[in-house]
Structures are given as structure tokens and as C-alpha cells.
Amino acid sequence: MWLPMLGLTALPHLGGLYGGFVTRKEVKTWFPSLNKPWWRPPNFAFPIVWTTLYTGMGYGSYLVWKELGGFTEDAMVPMGLYGLQLALNWAWTPIFFGAHKIKLALIEIVMLTGAVGATMVSWYPISSTATLIMAPYLAWLCLATALNYCIWRDNPEEEKEE
């Protein structure tokens, strides 16, 4: 039973590694040129926070998967919503940092936050522990959404031309 736990816990980190690769250059070049709110967390906080959140959401998905007996018919909705939010999570970084599409990233992160909320609602009857593990992730996304909004609002000319 260790392999599914390790695999599902590690899965979110795959997109995180790719996101780190996309972000690395832009954090040194493009991102410093943007107007950002004073309350933005420092750059060093992001990898620490995301490593913690990815580990938590991955382990939460394992708890739900285990409670439902694997990828059964009953798991379609809760694990499908989890997969949707994970795909949206992984897509945000290439949109924001890779393509410099601040407004599109804002729309995307709002959809992501909704998908995380829906995932949590679907998980609650299955595992309240897994749902509570996702709460810091939802809180961080609310902060990240506000940050994305402020950057979009304060940098209207920063969008890359088509």
C-alpha cells in the first residue's frame, strides 16, 4: 500500500517542477519589472509554500482514493474534480510566467479556486481529514488570486502582444 500513497502524494509535484522551470528565468527578468502590491509574499516563500501544499493535496487525494477503494465508479467525481483542479493548477504558471498573459491567468486562477472548492465539497463526505488538508491550499489560492488581480490591475500594458 505504500506505492499508491507515495505516487499520489508525489503526483502534484510533477507540475510544480515544470512550473519552477518556467518561473525561474521570469522571476529574474520579467517579474521584477511589474508593479506588485506591498503585501506580496517574498519570492523565497513560494517554493516552500507550494512544496507543502502539493504534498498535502497529494496525500489528501490518496486518503480519498483509499477510502473509495481505488479508482472505482464512486471515485469518478471526487477524483475527477481533483484531476481538473490539478490540471488548472499546472496550467497557471505557463500562462502567467511563460506567456505573460496576466488577465488570462486571473480568469484561470478563479476557475482553479472554484475547482478546488468543488473538490473539497465532493471530498468531505468521504474524508473530512482530506478536506481539511486542502484548506490551506484554498486559502493560499485566495491570496494568489488577489495578487494576480492586483498585478493585472496595476500593469495593464504588460500583456504580450499577439
Side-chain angles (χ1 to χ4, degrees), residues 11-24:
L11 177 63
H13 293 278
L14 296 177
L17 291 171
Y18 175 70
F21 177 77
V22 170
T23 303
R24 193 166 291 123

Side-chain angles (χ1 to χ4, degrees), residues 13 41-57 136-137 139-141 143-144:
H13 293 278
N43 287 347
F44 74 82
F46 288 87
I48 297 165
V49 169
W50 278 113
T51 299
T52 304
L53 295 176
Y54 280 143
T55 302
M57 77 171 79
Y137 176 37
W140 181 260
L141 284 176
L143 175 78

Side-chain angles (χ1 to χ4, degrees), residues 97-108:
F97 283 103
H100 302 182
K101 297 291 186 186
I102 302 169
K103 182 179 180 181
L104 181 58
L106 177 59
I107 294 166
E108 200 273 356

Side-chain angles (χ1 to χ4, degrees), residues 64-128:
V64 170
W65 176 87
K66 184 178 100 176
E67 194 65 33
L68 293 173
F71 292 111
T72 63
E73 190 175 324
D74 290 340
M76 279 180 71
V77 170
M79 295 306 282
L81 286 168
Y82 174 74
L84 171 64
Q85 73 79 30
L86 193 57
L88 289 167
N89 178 297
W90 290 347
W92 184 88
T93 300
I95 294 168
F96 186 90
F97 283 103
H100 302 182
K101 297 291 186 186
I102 302 169
K103 182 179 180 181
L104 181 58
L106 177 59
I107 294 166
E108 200 273 356
I109 201 169
V110 168
M111 294 184 339
L112 167 58
T113 304
V116 171
T119 300
M120 291 173 71
V121 167
S122 76
W123 282 13
Y124 188 75
I126 302 159
S127 172
S128 59

Side-chain angles (χ1 to χ4, degrees), residues 5-63:
M5 182 188 67
L6 291 175
L8 287 169
T9 301
L11 177 63
H13 293 278
L14 296 177
L17 291 171
Y18 175 70
F21 177 77
V22 170
T23 303
R24 193 166 291 123
K25 175 184 158 244
E26 300 299 328
V27 160
K28 295 176 184 163
T29 56
W30 172 72
F31 193 66
S33 72
L34 298 175
N35 296 316
K36 295 172 281 305
W38 63 269
W39 48 265
R40 182 186 73 82
N43 287 347
F44 74 82
F46 288 87
I48 297 165
V49 169
W50 278 113
T51 299
T52 304
L53 295 176
Y54 280 143
T55 302
M57 77 171 79
Y59 184 70
S61 75
Y62 164 73
L63 293 176

